Amino acid sequence: MGSGASKTNEPFHLHTLRRSDADIVNLMLPVYYTSDPVTKLDITNARASWSMIIDDTSPEYLRLKDTPDFNYSSCVMFYYDTFYARFFDVHPMSRAMFKSGLKTQGKFLVKMITLCLGEIDDADSSKFVNTLVNLTESHNARGVKSIECKSIIIFSMKILIIFF
C-alpha cells in the first residue's frame, strides 16, 4: 500500500472527528454568516448606510450615477439590483424562488430592511424578533428554508456596507 496507508486493519473511529454542533453548523453556513452579536455601532452604521440609499446620497451611487452605462434612476433600485446580483452569485439555486420578478421583490426587500432597521434596537426587542419569525414562517410556507431566510438577512446587511 502507499505511504499513507495504515499498517493495521483497525476500523476508522468517528470519535477522532467529533465536533460540537456549533462547529458543524458553522462549517455548513455561508462564509458571510456570523453568530457575532449585533452591536450598537453595527446598527448605527447600517441605519446611516440605509438612509444614504433611501436619500440617493450613497457614495457608491454618487460615484457611478453619471457614468455612461449606469441605468438606475435611484439608489434604491441600484441597491436591490446589486443585492440580487450578488445574492444569486453566492446562492444561485435561490433564483428559482423569485417568481414575481426582481423589481417587485426589490420593493419587498426595501420594506423588510426598513422595517428591521426600525425595530432592531427598540427597548422591546420582541417586536423585532416577531417580525423576523413572521418573515421566516411566511417564507417557509413558500418552501424557503429558515437558514436561507437568515442568510438573506445577514447578506443584505453586508451589502449595506458596500454603499456606505
Side-chain angles (χ1 to χ4, degrees):
M1 295 197 162
S3 62
S6 171
K7 293 182 181 181
T8 66
N9 288 332
E10 292 178 16
F12 183 80
H13 293 286
L14 288 178
H15 72 273
T16 61
L17 294 179
R18 294 270 186 237
R19 292 190 178 244
S20 72
D21 289 346
D23 288 338
I24 293 168
V25 168
N26 284 330
L27 289 169
M28 294 172 57
L29 292 172
V31 295
Y32 54 83
Y33 178 85
T34 180
S35 59
D36 296 341
V38 176
T39 66
K40 291 280 187 190
L41 181 60
D42 293 333
I43 295 167
T44 299
N45 288 342
R47 284 181 174 156
S49 184
W50 191 243
S51 180
M52 287 188 281
I53 291 168
I54 298 297
D55 297 338
D56 291 334
T57 59
S58 161
E60 184 68 4
Y61 174 75
L62 294 174
R63 185 180 72 78
L64 295 171
K65 80 174 195 170
D66 293 325
T67 59
D69 294 329
F70 192 76
N71 298 316
Y72 301 98
S73 60
S74 73
C75 190
V76 169
M77 291 174 68
F78 177 48
Y79 172 81
Y80 67 68
D81 199 51
T82 301
F83 171 86
Y84 285 111
R86 291 184 183 202
F87 182 69
F88 294 145
D89 283 347
V90 171
H91 200 337
M93 302 217 19
S94 65
R95 185 179 290 275
M97 294 181 208
F98 296 89
K99 296 174 177 78
S100 64
L102 293 185
K103 187 172 183 175
T104 301
Q105 195 63 41
K107 291 177 183 178
F108 287 123
L109 177 68
V110 169
K111 288 178 184 178
M112 186 267 307
I113 292 171
T114 301
L115 178 67
C116 288
L117 287 175
E119 294 179 352
I120 195 167
D121 70 343
D122 281 351
D124 178 14
S125 64
S126 64
K127 187 175 179 183
F128 175 69
V129 171
N130 288 338
T131 298
L132 293 183
V133 168
N134 289 337
L135 280 167
T136 301
E137 287 174 348
S138 68
H139 281 76
N140 188 261
R142 290 184 230 130
V144 179
K145 295 179 178 94
S146 296
I147 191 63
E148 292 168 324
C149 290
K150 192 169 188 177
S151 296
I152 290 171
I153 293 166
I154 292 166
F155 190 78
S156 64
M157 296 303 148
K158 297 291 182 185
I159 295 294
L160 281 173
I161 294 167
I162 294 168
F163 286 79
F164 189 56

